[in-house]
Amino acid sequence: MLEKRQKKRRIYYILRRAKSKKGEGYIDVVVLTIVSMLVLCTLLAVAPVFIAKMNLDTYANELSREAEISGRVGAETTQRLDRLNEIKGLNPDVAWDRIGRIQIGQDVTVTVSTVVDIGFFSFVAIPITLTSTATGTSEVLWK
C-alpha cells in the first residue's frame, strides 16, 4: 500500500512539473533569436540586388546625359561607358535606340541590363536580370 501511494505521489509530482510554466521564456527567446537571424540572413542575401539596381539606374542616367551633352552616340558615350565600368565595377549590356548624331530636341534612349545572383550562402544561386532605361533629349544643333 505504501508503494502504491509513493507511485501516485511520483506521478502527481511529474505531471505537476510537466504542466509548470517555468522555463517557457527561455524557449520563446531561443525561437525569437532563430527567426530574427533567418530574417537578417535573408536581408543580407537580397540587399546586393537593390544596390546593383540603384547602380544600374545611375549608370543609365549618366550615359543618357553624356549623349545629351555630346549630341551623339559614339566615341564620347563609349569613353563614358569605359569610365563607368572602372568606377562602378559593373559590366552591363548597353543598347541604344539610335546611333550617330542626334539633332537638337530629338530623344535618345539607353537600356542597360545585367544579371545578378541572389546567393543564399553557397546552397542556391538564383539569377535575376536587372534592366534600367533612361531617356534624354539632345542639346546639340548639328548643321
Side-chain angles (χ1 to χ4, degrees):
M1 183 100 169
L2 189 60
E3 287 180 22
K4 199 173 188 183
R5 193 179 290 167
Q6 285 178 345
K7 242 185 192 179
K8 280 185 178 181
R9 281 184 185 169
R10 268 192 209 146
I11 292 172
Y12 176 73
Y13 179 74
I14 291 171
L15 289 175
R16 195 176 67 184
R17 290 285 274 183
K19 290 180 182 179
S20 174
K21 298 290 184 183
K22 285 185 178 180
E24 188 177 319
Y26 293 117
I27 295 172
D28 291 344
V29 169
V30 169
V31 170
L32 182 65
T33 303
I34 290 172
V35 169
S36 62
M37 293 308 286
L38 286 174
V39 168
L40 182 66
C41 289
T42 303
L43 288 175
L44 289 175
V46 175
V49 174
F50 291 107
I51 294 170
K53 176 61 176 162
M54 289 188 303
N55 283 338
L56 210 60
D57 290 342
T58 304
Y59 201 98
N61 289 334
E62 289 188 23
L63 281 177
S64 174
R65 184 64 184 146
E66 186 67 36
E68 288 175 354
I69 293 171
S70 65
R72 66 178 171 181
V73 176
E76 294 87 357
T77 54
T78 304
Q79 288 174 356
R80 184 69 174 165
L81 179 72
D82 292 338
R83 277 186 281 155
L84 286 173
N85 283 340
E86 290 175 11
I87 294 170
K88 300 276 185 196
L90 293 173
N91 195 9
D93 299 326
V94 179
W96 295 91
D97 67 337
R98 58 175 60 194
I99 297 173
R101 291 182 175 183
I102 304 163
Q103 193 58 263
I104 191 168
Q106 291 181 340
D107 289 338
V108 62
T109 302
V110 61
T111 303
V112 182
S113 63
T114 189
V115 176
V116 177
D117 287 333
I118 293 180
F120 291 103
F121 309 108
S122 61
F123 304 120
V124 179
I126 303 169
I128 294 178
T129 303
L130 299 176
T131 304
S132 184
T133 304
T135 302
T137 304
S138 177
E139 298 176 0
V140 177
L141 176 64
W142 295 98
K143 292 183 181 184

